């Protein structure tokens, strides 16, 4: 339940509300119904204030959306305690990003429109790239390996959030086809296998660098 902290005039309608209260309400709305449902009017109705009060508190809808995503990402990155080994860094980043996207679908929606922002977001990316360089990858390979890891995690989360189907691998009636995932469709197991393969590929690439001829 979102708590209200507003000054109330004689007519009983609050005139002001704190930024934290607005962001709490906006996050709930965006996670439940999408980022585009978060409007000044909708927030004003939810919190019992005027749209102008929301605008004064946030600086407008674009600033509000930016602050919403930045706060969510910042809360996660501030809590991360990075391990020393590169595999541990990769695993922690993958699981932290996956959990963030599954818990707050609005972050994935915002990420489709622009790079993630927030205190520590860039630092997390650079830490992973530095860990990949410590594994033996050169600068370019480390950057693209990070991209592969990032794309795997966000792609997996996007599929899970998009389907929301407890039985997604049933074949259409009469098709005669049988999905390759009919007997193996546990999403968490699938994520764990995929992450193991990504890490294994990084380790193999670090041990056996790809020649310029093979890159063509």
């Amino acid at each position: 339940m979102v708590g209200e902290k507003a000054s109330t005039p004689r007519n009983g309608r609050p005139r002001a509300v704190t930024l934290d209260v607005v962001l709490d309400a906006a996050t709930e709305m965006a996670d439940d119904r999408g980022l585009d449902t978060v409007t000044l009017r909708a927030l004003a109705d939810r919190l019992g204030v005027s749209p102008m009060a929301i605008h004064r508190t946030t600086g407008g809808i674009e600033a509000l959306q930016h602050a919403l995503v930045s706060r969510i990402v910042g809360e996660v990155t501030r809590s991360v305690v990075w391990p020393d080994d590169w595999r541990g860094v990769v695993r922690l980043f993958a699981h932290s990003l996956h959990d963030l996207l599954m818990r707050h679908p609005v972050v994935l929606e915002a990420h489709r429109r622009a790079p993630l922002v927030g205190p520590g977001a860039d630092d997390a990316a650079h830490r992973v790239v530095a860990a990949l360089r410590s594994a033996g990858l050169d600068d370019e390979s480390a950057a693209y390996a990070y991209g592969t890891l990032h794309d795997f995690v966000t792609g997996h989360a996007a599929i899970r959030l998009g389907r929301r189907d407890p039985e997604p691998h049933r074949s259409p009636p009469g098709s005669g086809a049988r999905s390759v995932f009919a007997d193996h469709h546990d999403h968490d197991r699938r994520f764990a296998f995929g992450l193991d393969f990504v890490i294994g590929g990084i380790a193999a690439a670090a041990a056996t660098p790809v020649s310029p001829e093979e890159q063509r």
Side-chain angles (χ1 to χ4, degrees), residues 74-93:
E75 287 174 351
V76 172
T77 55
R78 281 193 299 269
S79 66
V80 173
V81 179
W82 296 99
D84 294 327
D85 64 298
W86 73 265
R87 287 180 175 83
V89 170
V90 168
R91 287 191 182 280
L92 180 57
F93 171 80

Side-chain angles (χ1 to χ4, degrees), residues 41-118:
R41 168 62 65 183
L43 283 166
D45 290 344
R46 183 184 179 102
L47 296 175
V49 298
S50 69
M52 184 54 65
I54 301 294
H55 190 283
R56 283 196 300 266
T57 300
T58 63
I61 193 63
E62 290 186 4
L64 167 63
Q65 292 177 351
H66 182 279
L68 184 159
V69 176
S70 178
R71 187 178 71 157
I72 294 173
V73 173
E75 287 174 351
V76 172
T77 55
R78 281 193 299 269
S79 66
V80 173
V81 179
W82 296 99
D84 294 327
D85 64 298
W86 73 265
R87 287 180 175 83
V89 170
V90 168
R91 287 191 182 280
L92 180 57
F93 171 80
H95 284 289
S96 297
L97 179 58
H98 177 268
D99 293 347
L100 167 64
L101 298 179
M102 295 303 297
R103 188 166 62 253
H104 292 291
V106 62
V107 176
L108 182 61
E109 182 182 356
H111 192 31
R112 292 193 185 105
R113 307 180 186 188
L116 288 182
V117 294

Side-chain angles (χ1 to χ4, degrees), residues 158-184:
I159 291 173
R160 291 188 65 173
L161 290 169
R163 287 179 178 171
R164 296 186 179 276
D165 184 353
E167 297 182 77
H169 303 298
R170 292 175 297 179
S171 300
S175 67
R178 187 171 188 273
S179 170
V180 296
F181 297 114
D183 299 322
H184 309 286

